[in-house]
Amino acid sequence: MSLFFGIDTSNYRTSAAVFDSETRAWHNSGRLLEVPEGRIGLRQSDALFQHVLHLPERIAELERGFGNRIRAIAASTRPRAVEGSYMPCFLAGAGQARSMAHALDVPFYAVSHQQGHLAAAALSAGALELLRQPFLAWHLSGGTTELLSVHPEGELFQAEIIGGTDDLAAGQLIDRAGRLLNLPFPSGAELETLADACTQPETPFRPKVTHAHFSLSGAQNKIEQLHQKGASRETVARYAIDIVSAAVIRATEQAVQQTGLPVLCAGGVMSNRLLQQRMKDAFGARFAEPVLSGDNAVGVAVLAAMLSGEL
C-alpha cells in the first residue's frame, strides 16, 4: 500500500488527507475556520493562528499509525503556481508538512492551492487522465473566479488565466448576498437551500462577458436593489445564483468555442447543484463531488503521488 499525505491550510479551512495511489481511496479531515458573526472572512493573522491550533486535531483524526506507510508528503504553500503568489495562512501547513517529511525521511513537495483543487476535482470525477492533457478548468471559490487553460508542464501542470471575473469573485458575491439575508459565513450552502425554494425567480441581471472576462460589482448593486424592493429571501438567493450562473455559462461558451477543450470544474461555489446541471447540459463539464468541491487536502495528496511517479 502506497500512501501519500497532504495538507492544505487555506483562508477558509484546515485540512489533512491521506491518499492510496493503488486503490485511489482517500480520507480527508477538515474543518472550517471560525469567523465571527457578521464578518465576511478573516485577517491572515487570525487564519494562521487557527490553522496552527487546529491542524494537529485534523491529523489526529486520520488513521493512527499511517506514518510508516507514507511515501511522500505535500502541502499547498501558495494560492497559485506563479511567481509572487503568496498568502501567510499557507505557512502553517507547509511548516508542519516539511517537519513530518524530515522526521519520516520521505520527500516533501510544495504545490499550489489551485493545483490541489484541480487534482481533487479530477480524482472525484474519475478523470485523473485530464491532468496529463490540455483542458479548461474553472476555479470558482470564495476568493477566486478564474477560467483556466491547463496544460502539462514538467511533472505536473500549469494553469493560465484566460477568463473569469475582473473584480468581485463569485464566492464574494454569494457571501455578500448571504450577509444581506442574515445567513452565516460562508453562505453558499444556505443560499442554495433558499434558492431551491424559490417558485417565481426574477429574470437575472446578465453581466457583460467579453473574451471570457466579466465583472460582478454591478451584480451586487442589482441584488441589493432587489432586496430593498421587498423581494422574498428565496427570490434574492435565486437571483444571486442565477447571475453567477449566467456569467460563468457565457464565459465558458466563449472559451470552448475558441479551444474545443473539455471542461473541469473545481472550487466550493461549483458545488451549487443548479450551476452544475447547467454546465453539464451545456458542455458535458465534470465536477468534484461536494465533499471535494471546497478546500481540502485530498488533491494535494494526489499531487504528492504524481510527483512521486505513482500516478
Side-chain angles (χ1 to χ4, degrees):
M1 179 183 294
S2 297
L3 295 184
F4 296 87
F5 184 68
I7 294 177
D8 184 53
T9 51
S10 73
N11 210 37
Y12 289 85
R13 185 182 295 268
T14 309
S15 179
V18 289
F19 169 69
D20 186 331
S21 63
E22 296 175 9
T23 65
R24 298 194 176 176
W26 53 268
H27 182 196
N28 182 71
S29 172
R31 62 169 289 167
L32 286 170
L33 301 185
E34 298 170 6
V35 179
E37 187 175 350
R39 285 179 54 186
I40 299 179
L42 288 169
R43 292 178 299 182
Q44 282 292 296
S45 57
D46 294 333
L48 181 60
F49 172 78
Q50 288 196 40
H51 286 314
V52 171
L53 185 65
H54 298 310
L55 191 52
E57 299 172 358
R58 298 305 97 208
I59 297 172
E61 192 177 69
L62 301 172
E63 178 188 0
R64 179 180 292 273
F66 68 85
N68 57 12
R69 290 173 284 155
I70 293 293
R71 296 282 301 278
I73 296 174
S76 53
T77 61
R78 52 183 175 165
R80 299 183 63 237
V82 296
E83 186 175 353
S85 182
Y86 172 73
M87 286 180 73
C89 59
F90 292 109
L91 293 173
Q96 183 85 307
R98 288 180 187 275
S99 298
M100 291 177 64
H102 177 76
L104 295 174
D105 193 24
V106 298
F108 167 78
Y109 298 111
V111 300
S112 76
H113 176 70
Q114 186 172 77
Q115 287 173 319
H117 260 304
L118 298 180
L123 171 69
S124 184
L128 282 174
E129 72 280 357
L130 279 181
L131 303 181
R132 301 297 188 189
Q133 66 186 63
F135 64 98
L136 296 174
W138 274 105
H139 181 188
L140 213 66
S141 64
T144 304
T145 299
E146 295 174 351
L147 178 56
L148 310 166
S149 174
V150 187
H151 55 273
E153 184 175 287
E155 296 175 288
L156 288 181
F157 49 87
Q158 185 56 271
E160 175 190 358
I161 300 173
I162 62 168
T165 183
D166 295 321
D167 48 16
L168 196 64
Q172 291 175 309
L173 182 67
I174 293 298
D175 287 330
R176 291 180 185 186
R179 182 172 62 177
L180 201 63
L181 301 174
N182 296 316
L183 300 178
F185 175 87
S187 302
E190 297 270 3
L191 200 77
E192 181 175 358
T193 299
L194 275 178
D196 287 344
C198 177
T199 57
Q200 293 183 313
E202 290 276 332
T203 301
F205 166 73
R206 296 183 180 275
K208 181 180 179 181
V209 182
T210 305
H211 303 302
H213 287 267
F214 53 91
S215 169
L216 290 177
S217 58
Q220 181 178 343
N221 295 332
K222 295 292 185 180
I223 293 168
E224 291 172 351
Q225 289 169 12
L226 183 64
H227 181 257
Q228 289 166 3
K229 288 178 181 178
S232 70
R233 299 172 80 242
E234 293 79 6
T235 299
V236 173
R238 175 64 180 268
Y239 189 73
I241 290 171
D242 283 346
I243 289 173
V244 172
S245 178
V248 168
I249 293 289
R250 182 59 183 145
T252 310
E253 284 176 351
Q254 293 176 356
V256 170
Q257 288 170 2
Q258 184 72 24
T259 66
L261 293 175
V263 180
L264 179 71
C265 300
V269 176
M270 274 297 184
S271 65
N272 180 273
R273 292 185 299 275
L274 180 61
L275 177 55
Q276 283 195 5
Q277 191 59 55
R278 290 173 177 173
M279 290 289 288
K280 288 176 183 175
D281 292 344
F283 314 107
R286 286 179 273 191
F287 297 83
E289 59 187 281
V291 71
L292 291 185
S293 292
D295 297 353
N296 63 82
V298 174
V300 175
V302 170
L303 295 175
M306 291 181 65
L307 289 164
S308 299
E310 293 290 330
L311 282 179

